[in-house]
């Protein structure tokens, strides 16, 4: 870990990342890609020392509150958040200024800040997005070694539901020859249904690899699944998009299951919901309000 001074904190789409780099060690992480010009070892997380001051200033200047996003590039609940508490401070700032927030994480550490999330959701809107990759706990420990397993994330989703916090799941990535099975998709959707999630984001059955992330991914395949790297190279070469051979079959299954369960599965509709600010009258709390009118973002805020 090291500290840096940031020039700004909010993106053009009102997203923010308090940290840069990650400790979770997910073998497929796109944030390792060279195009992001990290400039330091990925595991040596850069902490934006002035992030909260920048956020306070930015929100004070805003004429109208809106939805803010956290975690598009770096999980806001890394292990170091336990001692630094920057995500908690950002949430306190968001609450003070009456903004809404949506954050994306793979960690049940989000429950530490549940009282804050409840207060934000009571006055405006708070949505927690959780990534689920595999129903198989042993495979999860290999693919995502530095973060809690799927069952712990499921328990967090259930607790958030009980607290009235709406949730969205990201079903990704689906890795060819590893978790691209009907059993995995059905297992994950069973958890989504049981946790009462509002929507499931899915960009297809596969993954993307860029320069930098590809090298790390293949290195980990060699270590964890001997011989699989060669199969990937035969099938995909240097492609950016690696679609599962079972893609169409699994997508059909995904959409059919979500439709039957009443779970949103249209990405545009989900992003519209995530980006739509709700200013609730005092005491009003609604989990599944219809989407208010407003401009849908072309990409997720978090």
């Amino acid at each position: 870990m090291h500290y840096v001074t940031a020039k700004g904190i909010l993106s053009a789409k009102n997203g923010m990342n308090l940290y840069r780099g990650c400790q979770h060690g997910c073998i497929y992480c796109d944030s390792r890609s060279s195009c992001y010009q990290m400039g330091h070892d990925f595991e040596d997380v850069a902490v934006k020392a002035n992030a909260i001051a920048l956020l306070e200033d930015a929100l004070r200047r805003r004429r109208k509150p809106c939805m803010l996003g956290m975690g598009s590039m770096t999980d806001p609940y890394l292990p170091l958040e336990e001692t630094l508490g920057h995500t908690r401070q950002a949430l306190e700032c968001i609450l003070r200024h009456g903004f809404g927030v949506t954050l994306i994480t793979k960690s049940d550490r989000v429950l530490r800040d549940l009282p804050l999330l409840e207060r934000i959701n009571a006055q405006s809107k708070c949505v927690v997005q959780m990534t689920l990759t595999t129903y198989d706990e042993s495979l999860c420990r290999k693919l995502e070694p530095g973060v809690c397993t799927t069952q712990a994330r499921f328990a967090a989703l259930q607790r958030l539901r009980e607290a009235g916090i709406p949730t969205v799941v990201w079903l990704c990535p689906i890795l060819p020859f590893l978790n691209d099975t009907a059993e995995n998709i059905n297992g994950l959707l069973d958890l989504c249904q049981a946790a009462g999630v509002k929507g499931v984001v899915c960009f297809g059955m596969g993954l993307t690899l860029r320069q930098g992330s590809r090298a790390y991914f293949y290195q980990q395949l060699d270590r964890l699944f001997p011989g699989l790297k060669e199969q990937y190279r035969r099938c995909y070469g240097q492609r950016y998009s690696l679609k599962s051979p079972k893609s169409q079959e699994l997508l059909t299954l995904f959409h059919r299951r979500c439709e039957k369960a009443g779970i949103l599965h249209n990405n545009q509709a989900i992003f519209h919901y995530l980006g739509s600010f709700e200013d609730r009258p005092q005491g009003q709390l609604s989990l599944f309000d219809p989407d208010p009118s407003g401009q849908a973002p072309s990409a997720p805020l978090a």
Side-chain angles (χ1 to χ4, degrees):
M1 182 191 82
H2 65 283
Y3 287 93
V4 297
T5 300
K7 294 181 179 179
I9 191 62
L10 290 179
S11 73
K13 294 182 179 178
N14 297 314
M16 72 180 107
N17 290 281
L18 305 175
Y19 306 116
R20 201 154 187 242
C22 192
Q23 300 170 302
H24 286 163
C26 303
I27 73 170
Y28 50 75
C29 183
D30 179 69
S31 294
R32 290 181 179 274
S33 300
S34 304
C35 64
Y36 299 120
Q37 300 178 331
M38 192 70 69
H40 57 85
D41 288 342
F42 191 66
E43 289 77 13
D44 179 19
V45 176
V47 179
K48 298 176 183 178
N50 59 333
I52 306 305
L54 288 172
L55 180 62
E56 184 77 38
D57 183 63
L59 299 191
R60 189 177 62 249
R61 293 170 181 271
R62 292 293 178 96
R63 297 179 64 183
K64 293 171 107 177
C66 63
M67 290 297 289
L68 304 175
M70 299 175 67
S72 60
M73 288 289 294
T74 298
D75 198 308
Y77 287 102
L78 299 178
L80 56 78
E81 169 63 20
E82 292 183 3
T83 54
L84 295 182
H86 285 197
T87 297
R88 184 201 294 268
Q89 293 174 54
L91 292 173
E92 290 170 342
C93 182
I94 289 166
L95 177 65
R96 278 196 304 275
H97 290 278
F99 283 68
V101 69
T102 177
L103 56 86
I104 184 166
T105 183
K106 292 177 184 170
S107 176
D108 57 358
R109 291 187 187 90
V110 66
L111 296 178
R112 180 203 65 181
D113 292 331
L114 185 55
L116 268 173
L117 302 179
E118 289 178 296
R119 291 177 65 191
I120 294 171
N121 198 48
Q123 76 173 10
S124 55
K125 179 177 171 183
C126 174
V127 186
V128 173
Q129 303 174 65
M130 187 78 74
T131 300
L132 300 182
T133 302
T134 176
Y135 186 75
D136 184 326
E137 291 287 90
S138 61
L139 182 58
C140 181
R141 291 185 182 95
K142 292 180 178 180
L143 300 180
E144 304 159 334
V147 67
C148 66
T149 64
T150 300
Q151 285 300 319
R153 289 176 232 175
F154 168 59
L157 288 168
Q158 288 182 305
R159 181 68 189 92
L160 290 161
R161 165 74 181 208
E162 291 165 3
I165 307 296
T167 56
V168 166
V169 160
W170 285 67
L171 190 70
C172 64
I174 303 302
L175 307 173
F177 319 120
L178 281 172
N179 64 338
D180 60 337
T181 65
E183 290 78 11
N184 185 50
I185 302 304
N186 277 319
L188 292 176
L189 291 178
D190 285 345
L191 297 182
C192 291
Q193 189 170 354
V197 306
K198 183 174 181 68
V200 179
V201 174
C202 179
F203 282 102
M205 300 296 167
L207 81 157
T208 58
L209 293 177
R210 309 176 201 248
Q211 183 179 352
S213 61
R214 179 183 290 106
Y216 185 82
F217 179 67
Y218 281 166
Q219 180 185 42
Q220 298 309 308
L221 287 187
D222 260 348
R223 183 175 66 86
L224 298 166
F225 311 100
L228 190 54
K229 179 179 73 176
E230 285 69 30
Q231 187 174 3
Y232 266 77
R233 283 183 166 164
R234 286 195 304 271
C235 293
Y236 302 109
Q238 296 294 306
R239 292 183 205 169
Y240 166 69
S241 179
L242 286 64
K243 184 185 294 187
S244 165
K246 305 173 186 175
S247 177
Q248 192 54 55
E249 166 196 337
L250 296 178
L251 276 174
T252 299
L253 171 63
F254 165 74
H255 289 298
R256 185 178 70 243
R257 283 288 312 271
C258 288
E259 190 70 25
K260 185 177 180 180
I263 297 172
L264 276 179
H265 54 106
N266 178 288
N267 291 344
Q268 185 176 2
I270 295 171
F271 296 151
H272 177 92
Y273 169 73
L274 293 173
S276 299
F277 178 73
E278 298 174 25
D279 189 5
R280 308 188 200 281
Q282 188 172 3
Q284 178 182 341
L285 187 63
S286 177
L287 180 60
F288 295 116
D289 288 340
D291 290 344
S293 60
Q295 183 65 39
S298 60
L301 292 173

